[in-house]
Amino acid sequence: MLHPLNNRIGFALPFVSVAYVNREAIERLGTSIEGVRRHEGKHLEQVDYLGRLQYHRLEKWRREGMAEYVRGAPTISVYFPNPDEDANRLSYREFYVVTRYLIAQEGLPFTTPKKRPLSSGLI
């Protein structure tokens, strides 16, 4: 679903199970809609898997790190600098790096069964 008024490349509204992507921003940045769709879709999957309350209790690095991991690259690689959002974009890169490391090097599972504590996997 496209949302032309949003100036970000995408965002999810998990409480209504809808994700938006901004085709103009994606084309301007030269990235694919598929990566953005995977990132935002992961947020919807996280809410569906964990439930709304557990999703909001999940640390931001886990939510965004896993979405970036599913996307296949950190978001900062496709964004133009914006003084108001640089720190946020840099943190997404950090979340991606940590998540990728934990999965590849530490053997942490990609997802965690709903009944287990959130600390046992990434989701």
Side-chain angles (χ1 to χ4, degrees):
M1 185 178 272
L2 300 177
H3 188 278
L5 300 178
N6 182 4
N7 60 3
R8 295 179 288 178
I9 62 173
F11 68 97
L13 299 172
F15 55 91
V16 292
S17 298
V18 174
Y20 292 98
V21 296
N22 184 336
R23 180 179 288 164
E24 289 178 15
I26 290 168
E27 289 173 356
R28 185 179 68 245
L29 295 169
T31 190
S32 76
I33 202 169
E34 184 61 25
V36 177
R37 186 200 61 80
R38 284 193 306 262
H39 176 107
E40 301 306 337
K42 183 59 179 177
H43 290 311
L44 298 178
E45 182 183 296
Q46 289 169 327
V47 170
D48 186 53
Y49 188 76
L50 293 171
R52 291 181 187 147
L53 184 60
Q54 287 292 80
Y55 171 78
H56 290 289
R57 288 182 177 168
L58 195 64
E59 297 94 338
K60 184 176 180 177
W61 75 265
R62 287 186 187 203
R63 285 193 316 263
E64 297 301 341
M66 191 54 68
E68 291 291 89
Y69 181 82
V70 168
R71 182 176 186 271
T75 300
I76 196 168
S77 66
V78 298
Y79 271 122
F80 291 128
N82 179 331
D84 297 332
E85 296 178 338
D86 281 353
N88 186 47
R89 291 178 182 153
L90 286 172
S91 65
Y92 276 47
R93 180 171 178 78
E94 292 169 2
F95 299 157
Y96 170 79
V97 170
V98 167
T99 301
R100 186 172 172 166
Y101 173 82
L102 289 173
I103 291 171
Q105 301 300 317
E106 300 294 328
L108 287 181
F110 185 69
T111 60
T112 247
K114 216 174 194 178
K115 304 282 185 204
R116 290 182 149 183
L118 292 176
S119 61
S120 65
L122 289 170
I123 192 61

